[in-house]
Amino acid sequence: MGNSIDLTATISAAIQNFNNKIGTVLHLKSIFFDMDGVLFDSMPYHAKSWIQAFAEHGLELPEYEPFMNEGSTAYYTIDKMFAKYKQTKLSDAEAETIKVRKHEIMQSMPQSEIMEHMPMLVEQIGKQNIDCWVVTGSAQAALYNRLEAAYNGSFKREKMITAHDVTHGKPHPEPYLKAIEKSGYGTAEAIVIENAPLGVESAKAAGLFTIAVNTGPINLDVLKKAGADLVVNSTFELLEYWPLIFSLLS
Ligand code: CA
């Protein structure tokens, strides 16, 4: 995005388009945050874990694939990658072995850092009386337990939709539909902050206004193609643009 006039016009147009689609005016009351790659800088470790687990099972995974598949369930990723690179389908038991191994490697990685600039953004959002929810495909209880402390209590365990709450992971809309159901905020009240194409697809399929923040090595166009209403280059940009986005959504 360019200068401030262009920026205001770009954001206003995105909101207007969305309002036209839902046939009402979006008034922001809640944000559904994705966790990995948005609140925690955990993706580099997930990527390394996937690459090693696949390598141990004879599949040399290109480095960008974990980022492209991010947000989905382990089984979805395993099935998709074996179909794509080996033209095979593993048995449930084989897929389970890889899933367990990936989890095991991930556990041996260093603790993920808190995503740069996000604590400051979440603090601002808290002062704006916006209700913060988390919608994650992660099954890592250690990480969501850490969220409460890492973000000074802005995220509460009872306001998280995790891998344990859904049958279908992202890109299926179920995780975000569950968030709508559990939080009580509809598509005219809640927006999503996501970093991954499959996460954006999930949020859009649930009918939600979605901001994609690029925090990994993928091309911005991939996030646009996935259907994001707004795409920003970094968490720094998101923090910088937030006051404007907030004012246009209030
Ligand atoms: Ca993510």
Side-chain angles (χ1 to χ4, degrees):
M1 292 195 234
N3 64 44
S4 64
I5 296 166
D6 287 349
L7 191 62
T8 307
T10 303
I11 299 169
S12 299
I15 295 168
Q16 191 56 53
N17 274 341
F18 182 82
N19 287 343
N20 291 343
K21 265 178 222 155
I22 61 171
T24 182
V25 176
L26 172 56
H27 282 293
L28 185 61
K29 291 183 183 161
S30 179
I31 299 178
F32 301 158
F33 289 86
D34 170 48
M35 183 176 77
D36 287 300
V38 170
L39 297 173
F40 285 122
D41 195 7
S42 42
M43 273 313 296
Y45 298 135
H46 279 292
K48 275 186 196 163
S49 306
W50 273 125
I51 287 165
Q52 190 183 327
F54 276 115
E56 289 173 6
H57 291 81
L59 195 160
E60 297 300 323
L61 196 68
E63 271 184 49
Y64 64 86
E65 285 289 7
F67 294 89
M68 294 299 289
N69 288 297
E70 198 217 318
S72 62
T73 64
Y75 291 120
Y76 178 99
T77 301
I78 294 163
D79 270 3
K80 200 167 144 195
M81 294 301 96
F82 269 87
K84 183 171 176 182
Y85 293 102
K86 293 283 181 187
Q87 292 78 47
T88 51
K89 176 153 176 48
L90 299 184
S91 68
D92 290 353
E94 288 169 318
E96 173 74 16
T97 307
I98 299 177
K99 181 194 161 179
V100 168
R101 181 65 185 134
K102 186 263 171 176
H103 188 74
E104 193 179 87
I105 300 165
M106 184 67 190
Q107 297 291 91
S108 71
M109 294 280 171
Q111 196 176 56
S112 301
E113 299 286 332
I114 297 165
M115 187 63 81
E116 213 182 357
H117 308 300
M118 289 306 285
M120 207 180 277
L121 179 69
V122 170
E123 194 189 326
Q124 269 189 44
I125 287 167
K127 285 181 188 154
Q128 291 161 337
N129 289 317
I130 297 167
D131 202 7
C132 294
W133 285 70
V134 172
V135 180
T136 177
S138 171
Q140 309 263 331
L143 270 188
Y144 31 84
N145 289 338
R146 250 185 87 203
L147 267 182
E148 280 199 53
Y151 283 87
N152 285 323
S154 295
F155 298 105
K156 308 253 181 268
R157 184 64 187 86
E158 64 270 21
K159 294 184 177 185
M160 293 180 196
I161 309 297
T162 75
H164 304 293
D165 299 307
V166 297
T167 313
H168 307 285
K170 303 169 187 178
H172 195 281
E174 190 187 355
Y176 283 104
L177 291 175
K178 273 268 158 73
I180 290 171
E181 185 193 314
K182 203 172 163 190
S183 70
Y185 298 111
T187 53
E189 295 162 325
I191 67 166
V192 171
I193 299 180
E194 265 285 352
N195 73 306
L198 297 181
V200 170
E201 279 179 37
S202 169
K204 289 312 297 173
L208 292 156
F209 187 89
T210 305
I211 300 174
V213 54
N214 195 18
T215 60
I218 59 169
N219 195 299
L220 280 188
D221 288 340
V222 175
L223 295 167
K224 281 183 197 144
K225 266 193 200 142
D229 295 278
L230 281 177
V231 179
V232 295
N233 282 306
S234 61
T235 54
F236 178 76
E237 262 195 20
L238 184 60
L239 179 65
E240 190 182 32
Y241 300 160
W242 181 253
L244 180 58
I245 297 171
F246 175 70
S247 71
L248 292 169
L249 283 176
S250 303

